[in-house]
């Protein structure tokens, strides 16, 4: 005879699979989500997470300075990666209980425990020597330069541009020079 805990675990897996299947057939709709700190984000989302009811996919950042990334959602799954950069942006693509499936900017990832993640939005600079501008205009004054791989906090985003902050310096960068924000995402 199966123990009650095993029965619950099996049903959680079944309901998780059902929620995932249902989420795949929901059409894409524009969503406005409230972020920490009262910021408003608008992105086109295809579905909502079965656990948090937050949009999927969505960007988050790594809260810890070191986090194991596993092959599946549970401690019994093998560790495939160890993320070691506090603040690095990650894309949450699925949820299961207290676990989130995430990807980094290279598409590498797996399952990570939810307490290792933060809702604070960060981005990674994807080109070397990116100019931070005083306004979202390529002809405006250059306030700083960012190196490839630099991690910065994400501010507001307008078409084609996002404002980032790193080491106390704020500036606007072209959206295609950073990873951690959706192409059509608008932030205030």
């Amino acid at each position: 005879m199966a123990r009650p805990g095993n029965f619950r675990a099996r049903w959680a897996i079944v309901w998780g699979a059902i929620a995932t299947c249902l989420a795949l057939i929901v059409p894409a709709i524009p969503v406005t989500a409230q972020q920490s700190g009262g910021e408003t984000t608008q992105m086109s989302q295809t579905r909502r997470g079965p656990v948090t009811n937050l949009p999927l996919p969505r960007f988050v950042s790594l809260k810890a300075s070191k986090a194991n990334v596993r092959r599946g959602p549970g401690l019994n799954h093998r560790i495939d990666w160890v993320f070691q950069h506090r603040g690095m942006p990650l894309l949450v693509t699925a949820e299961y209980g207290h676990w989130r499936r995430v990807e980094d900017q290279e598409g590498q990832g797996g399952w990570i425990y939810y307490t290792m993640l933060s809702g604070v939005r960060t981005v990674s600079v994807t080109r070397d020597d990116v100019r931070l501008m005083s306004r979202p205009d390529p002809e405006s004054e250059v306030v700083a330069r960012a190196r490839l791989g630099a991690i910065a906090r994400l501010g507001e985003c307008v078409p084609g541009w996002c404002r980032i902050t790193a080491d106390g310096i704020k500036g606007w960068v072209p959206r295609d020079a950073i990873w951690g924000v959706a192409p059509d995402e608008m932030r205030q």
Side-chain angles (χ1 to χ4, degrees):
M1 181 168 176
R3 294 188 351 233
N6 291 341
F7 177 77
R8 286 188 189 115
R10 279 188 238 124
W11 271 108
I13 291 169
V14 169
W15 281 111
I18 291 170
T20 301
C21 290
L22 289 174
L24 293 174
I25 61 173
V26 175
I29 56 172
V31 174
T32 301
Q34 190 76 19
Q35 299 291 321
S36 62
E39 302 160 346
T40 303
T41 300
Q42 184 175 354
M43 302 172 52
S44 289
Q45 300 298 327
T46 56
R47 61 190 193 278
R48 292 206 168 258
V51 178
T52 64
N53 199 33
L54 293 172
L56 287 179
R58 69 178 177 276
F59 287 100
V60 296
S61 60
L62 188 63
K63 185 189 301 184
S65 57
K66 183 177 179 183
N68 293 332
V69 183
R70 296 179 179 273
R71 181 147 306 175
L75 294 175
N76 57 333
H77 292 277
R78 187 176 99 194
I79 297 170
D80 285 337
W81 302 96
V82 178
F83 288 150
Q84 297 184 335
H85 296 285
R86 172 181 250 136
M88 75 182 285
L90 296 167
L91 181 66
V92 176
T93 59
E95 303 176 343
Y96 180 79
H98 292 300
W99 295 86
R100 307 294 177 259
R101 188 172 55 202
V102 297
E103 293 178 5
D104 65 9
Q105 71 186 53
E106 291 150 5
Q108 302 300 321
W111 292 89
I112 191 168
Y113 200 68
Y114 81 105
T115 59
M116 300 288 111
L117 303 173
S118 170
V120 173
R121 294 289 300 276
T122 60
V123 293
S124 177
V125 176
T126 59
R127 297 191 309 227
D128 200 23
D129 200 34
V130 172
R131 299 180 306 158
L132 278 71
M133 312 305 283
S134 61
R135 294 185 324 274
D137 177 359
E139 302 301 320
S140 65
E141 177 186 354
V142 176
V143 295
R145 294 183 185 273
R147 292 184 179 170
L148 174 67
I151 295 173
R153 190 166 184 159
L154 180 63
E156 70 179 288
C157 290
V158 297
W161 294 85
C162 287
R163 189 171 190 196
I164 62 172
T165 304
D167 295 329
I169 299 170
K170 295 180 182 182
W172 291 88
V173 295
R175 188 182 297 252
D176 63 359
I178 55 176
W179 186 86
V181 63
D184 60 344
E185 185 175 356
M186 303 299 284
R187 292 174 47 95
Q188 299 177 14

